[in-house]
Amino acid sequence: ETGVTQTPRHLVMGMTNKKSLKCEQHLGHNAMYWYKQSAKKPLELMFVYNFKEQTENNSVPSRFSPECPNSSHLFLHLHTLQPEDSALYLCASSQAQNSPTDTQYFGPGTRLTVL
Amino acid sequence: QKEVEQNSGPLSVPEGAIASLNCTYSDRGSQSFFWYRQYSGKSPELIMSIYSNGDKEDGRFTAQLNKASQYVSLLIRDSQPSDSATYLCAVLNTGGFKTIFGAGTRLFVKA
C-alpha cells in the first residue's frame, strides 16, 4: 500500500451505534489530520496530531474521539452521532506540522451517513 | 469575513482557453499558499504551492501571489475537459499551525 489509506470507504450508522474510522499513512510522515467535508462547505479541520501528540482540537463535539497510537495510524471513534454529522471524513498526513512548506496528502475519505 | 474566500462558481471555459481562479485571505501573516484539485467523489490532491510574491509556473499551471493585496490566483492555460474539477485554495496561517481551506471553485471546461 502506498500513500494514505482509509477504511471503511462508506459507512452507514444509526444514531446509537459506535463505529471507528481508520487511517494509515505509508509516507513516513509525522503529522496526521482529520477533516470533515460537507456539501458546499469548506474543509473543516477537526483534529491534528504532530509526532503522536494532539495539537489541535477545533471545537469538535465529544461524540468524535480521535486516537493516534503511532505516527502511521489515526482513528476517529464515533458514538451517538447526529444526522448532521453525515459527511465525507478525510484523513491527511504531512511531514510535520508548522513547516512552512508542508504539503498535506489526503486519503480517499470515508463517506459517512447517519440515519 | 471568511478566512479564505473563493468564488464558488461554476466557472465555465471552452477547451483551450485560460481558466483564472481567484482566492483572497484574511490572515496577513500567512506565509504558505496551496492549490488543491478535487474531482467529484475524490479527495483533494495538491497541484501547486507558492510561498513568495510573484508567479510560479508548473506546466500549464501558474500560481500568482500578492501578499500586499492578500490575493492568490491560479491560471490554467490550454484548459482541457479533464481539468473540470473543484479547485481548493488553502492558506497556512501565521505560525504554521493550521491550514485553512476555501470552499472551492467549480471549474467546467467545455469540449
Side-chain angles (χ1 to χ4, degrees):
Chain A
E1 295 260 29
T2 59
V4 182
T5 58
Q6 289 186 244
T7 54
R9 296 293 306 276
H10 300 272
L11 178 62
V12 179
M13 59 187 290
M15 289 191 286
T16 59
N17 292 156
K18 288 185 181 181
K19 296 286 184 183
S20 295
L21 309 185
K22 179 183 175 182
C23 175
E24 185 173 0
Q25 58 93 3
H26 309 268
L27 300 169
H29 289 165
N30 297 297
M32 296 187 77
Y33 309 78
W34 279 118
Y35 287 91
K36 175 184 179 183
Q37 189 173 39
S38 304
K40 301 192 190 302
K41 286 188 175 182
L43 275 169
E44 300 174 51
L45 180 65
M46 301 176 71
F47 301 104
V48 181
Y49 280 82
N50 198 40
F51 293 91
K52 299 191 297 179
E53 296 297 319
Q54 189 180 127
T55 58
E56 182 80 25
N57 177 337
N58 203 26
S59 303
V60 180
S62 60
R63 57 186 184 268
F64 295 92
S65 174
E67 179 189 1
C68 186
N70 54 60
S71 293
S72 299
H73 293 85
L74 185 65
F75 295 90
L76 188 63
H77 304 300
L78 316 171
H79 65 98
T80 60
L81 293 192
Q82 305 298 310
E84 59 265 29
D85 296 323
S86 299
L88 180 68
Y89 288 84
L90 289 161
C91 174
S93 73
S94 69
Q95 187 59 47
Q97 198 185 13
N98 303 348
S99 169
T101 59
D102 204 35
T103 298
Q104 294 185 29
Y105 295 85
F106 286 84
T110 295
R111 174 68 62 185
L112 173 67
T113 302
V114 181
L115 302 176
Chain B
Q1 181 190 7
K2 294 178 184 176
E3 294 182 87
V4 178
E5 197 146 2
Q6 297 181 254
N7 188 321
S8 63
L11 173 66
S12 184
V13 300
E15 184 175 0
I18 296 175
S20 178
L21 305 164
N22 305 314
C23 172
T24 57
Y25 59 94
S26 60
D27 182 352
R28 184 167 287 279
S30 299
Q31 296 294 317
S32 306
F33 308 87
F34 308 89
W35 284 99
Y36 287 82
R37 177 176 62 201
Q38 187 173 22
Y39 291 114
S40 180
K42 302 291 186 182
S43 57
E45 56 176 335
L46 180 76
I47 51 173
M48 289 285 287
S49 58
I50 187 166
Y51 309 109
S52 55
N53 278 330
D55 294 359
K56 179 181 178 182
E57 188 174 318
D58 184 0
R60 296 187 295 112
F61 299 96
T62 299
Q64 299 174 317
L65 175 61
N66 183 327
K67 290 184 180 179
S69 301
Q70 295 175 241
Y71 175 91
V72 58
S73 65
L74 179 70
L75 300 178
I76 306 175
R77 288 183 300 280
D78 188 23
S79 295
Q80 302 297 309
S82 58
D83 294 326
S84 298
T86 296
Y87 288 80
L88 306 176
C89 173
V91 177
L92 188 62
N93 71 344
T94 303
F97 291 99
K98 187 188 295 188
T99 299
I100 311 297
F101 285 82
T105 299
R106 281 179 50 215
L107 173 66
F108 179 60
V109 181
K110 297 176 291 185

